[in-house]
Amino acid sequence: MDEATPPGPVPRRSLVTGATGLLGGNITAQLLDAGGEVTALVRDADRARRLLPDHPRLRIGVGDVTDPAAYTPLLAGCDTVFHTAAYFREYYETGADLRVLERVNVASLHPLLRAAEDAGVSAFVHTSSVNVLATTGPDSPADEETPPPRRYRGLDRSLDYPSSKVRAEEAVREYARTCSMRVPIVLPGWMWGPGDAGPTSAGRLLQAVAAGRMRAVPALGNYVVDARDVAAACVRAAGPGGGGRYVVAGTRHRLRDLTAAVAAETGTAAPREVPVPAALGVVALMEGLARLRGTEPPATRTGLAVLREGDGRNITSARAQRELGTAFRPMERTIADEVAWYRAHGILPGPSGASVPR
């Protein structure tokens, strides 16, 4: 059992949306480890069976968060919903479909919340992002009371991933004002860790460094958090007394230090740090080559813009640490476990008989 597995009672029966994702998979594993029953809402049953534990208390439910007819029957008997499903491909694909972004991240929420309440669910844990917090400067860290960036206030449609998470939070808080469920909201930092099968932008960066395809990184930093620590916070937030918002940002790290740790773990050359304008040119070239080859780039200008904004952030996770007992493991441990997970699943070369970190 991972040390992040929440102590004490856990929800008896939970529905986890996005259960094959980085966060959803770790929530599912921790709930099962702690004795809970889990229904995993997934779009691909075969993929779910490959990625999720082979466990007698795990049920696979095929469906989509935009289709109430698919997930409503799965809510019967559940006391908790962990909502982690989201559309975020715009971070590393050009021409993202903003209609899909709005439909998945925002429009699907009210029907899902209503179905959960009608089924008698007592706690609905919604996953947001620290990207919904305005930057506050070095003397005043952003926390649960920090408003969204000014450009994302009062929007009637999503313009990008961060704005969709702002609109999603608005929808969740509006519903929570009058519903019978507790609806805590967890705001993770940039998540890394084992189970990133997608992969997310973090997993793509790790794999690019491990393959020697990332020669330089911008002189930027961001808040990095292990997905297992976020999962533990989500499970604890679902417990009695959990409510409101919880920032689970992790700790600040320079990209050069993150990629150097990946290089040390995989035996490759560490990327050098370059000024942001130079990195922007490199990333644009990566995007162009990926289009020609019909592949996806390891980084995009959209993702670089998010990192650039994150470089100026000052965030505190004090409330989650105080009320949920949240703790953050060392970044080197997270990266070592993520590399081991990729090797165990044949995604990176290396020892295949090692145990799979969870």
Side-chain angles (χ1 to χ4, degrees), residues 75 111-122 124 175 178-181:
L75 287 163
L112 179 59
L113 285 158
R114 171 59 65 190
E117 186 179 18
D118 289 347
V121 167
S122 59
F124 185 106
Y175 190 92
T178 58
C179 78
S180 60
M181 301 182 294

Side-chain angles (χ1 to χ4, degrees), residues 87-139:
Y87 177 87
F88 56 86
R89 303 297 289 181
E90 61 153 299
Y91 272 174
Y92 35 78
E93 285 183 359
T94 55
D97 192 331
L98 296 182
R99 294 170 300 176
V100 175
L101 183 78
E102 176 76 12
R103 186 168 68 248
V104 173
N105 292 4
V106 184
S108 66
L109 274 167
H110 190 278
L112 179 59
L113 285 158
R114 171 59 65 190
E117 186 179 18
D118 289 347
V121 167
S122 59
F124 185 106
V125 182
H126 174 69
T127 308
S128 185
S129 167
V130 295
N131 290 324
V132 307
L133 304 176
T135 53
T136 53
D139 299 324

Side-chain angles (χ1 to χ4, degrees), residues 24-340:
N26 278 290
I27 290 175
T28 297
Q30 290 187 18
L31 290 169
L32 293 171
D33 281 348
E37 297 179 25
V38 179
T39 297
L41 179 64
V42 302
R43 289 181 297 172
D44 185 332
D46 290 337
R47 185 171 186 269
R49 293 187 185 98
R50 291 195 304 271
L51 295 174
L52 296 177
D54 182 9
H55 201 289
R57 293 195 306 276
L58 175 64
R59 179 170 60 139
I60 304 296
V62 179
D64 192 278
V65 293
T66 64
D67 182 9
Y71 61 68
T72 297
L74 304 177
L75 287 163
C78 290
D79 49 44
T80 307
V81 171
F82 294 92
H83 181 46
T84 75
Y87 177 87
F88 56 86
R89 303 297 289 181
E90 61 153 299
Y91 272 174
Y92 35 78
E93 285 183 359
T94 55
D97 192 331
L98 296 182
R99 294 170 300 176
V100 175
L101 183 78
E102 176 76 12
R103 186 168 68 248
V104 173
N105 292 4
V106 184
S108 66
L109 274 167
H110 190 278
L112 179 59
L113 285 158
R114 171 59 65 190
E117 186 179 18
D118 289 347
V121 167
S122 59
F124 185 106
V125 182
H126 174 69
T127 308
S128 185
S129 167
V130 295
N131 290 324
V132 307
L133 304 176
T135 53
T136 53
D139 299 324
S140 178
D143 61 13
E144 288 78 8
E145 303 304 317
T146 301
R150 189 174 300 276
R151 69 185 181 280
Y152 291 148
R153 300 175 197 174
L155 295 177
D156 60 2
R157 60 188 177 89
S158 299
L159 306 177
D160 50 24
Y161 176 77
S163 65
S164 78
K165 300 305 280 186
V166 171
R167 285 175 45 74
E169 271 209 39
E170 291 170 350
V172 168
R173 289 200 299 271
E174 178 65 27
Y175 190 92
R177 289 191 183 101
T178 58
C179 78
S180 60
M181 301 182 294
R182 287 182 296 102
V183 189
I185 301 173
V186 175
L187 287 67
W190 190 17
M191 287 188 289
W192 290 59
D196 192 359
T200 66
S201 59
R204 284 174 180 262
L205 177 59
L206 185 152
Q207 291 181 35
V209 173
R213 291 186 287 109
M214 186 66 68
R215 304 297 178 85
V217 293
L220 296 172
N222 209 338
Y223 281 83
V224 173
V225 63
D226 192 300
R228 294 168 293 184
D229 298 333
V230 179
C234 289
V235 176
R236 289 167 182 158
R245 300 169 96 195
Y246 297 98
V247 173
V248 187
T251 52
R252 263 189 84 82
H253 294 285
R254 304 295 295 177
L255 278 178
R256 67 172 180 240
D257 297 328
L258 287 168
T259 54
V262 173
E265 193 66 34
T266 57
T268 54
R272 69 184 188 280
E273 186 178 75
V274 299
V276 173
L280 187 60
V282 172
V283 168
L285 178 61
M286 287 179 176
E287 288 182 317
L289 290 173
R291 281 194 298 271
L292 290 174
R293 296 167 179 166
T295 59
E296 296 176 354
T300 64
R301 285 166 288 182
T302 302
L304 182 57
V306 173
L307 285 172
R308 193 170 190 173
E309 183 171 3
D311 188 61
R313 291 190 181 279
N314 176 20
I315 306 175
T316 177
S317 302
R319 184 188 181 211
Q321 292 171 306
R322 182 176 64 251
E323 298 184 13
L324 304 179
T326 298
F328 301 119
R329 71 194 73 202
M331 173 266 292
E332 293 82 4
R333 164 86 180 278
T334 297
I335 288 174
D337 288 351
E338 185 168 355
V339 168

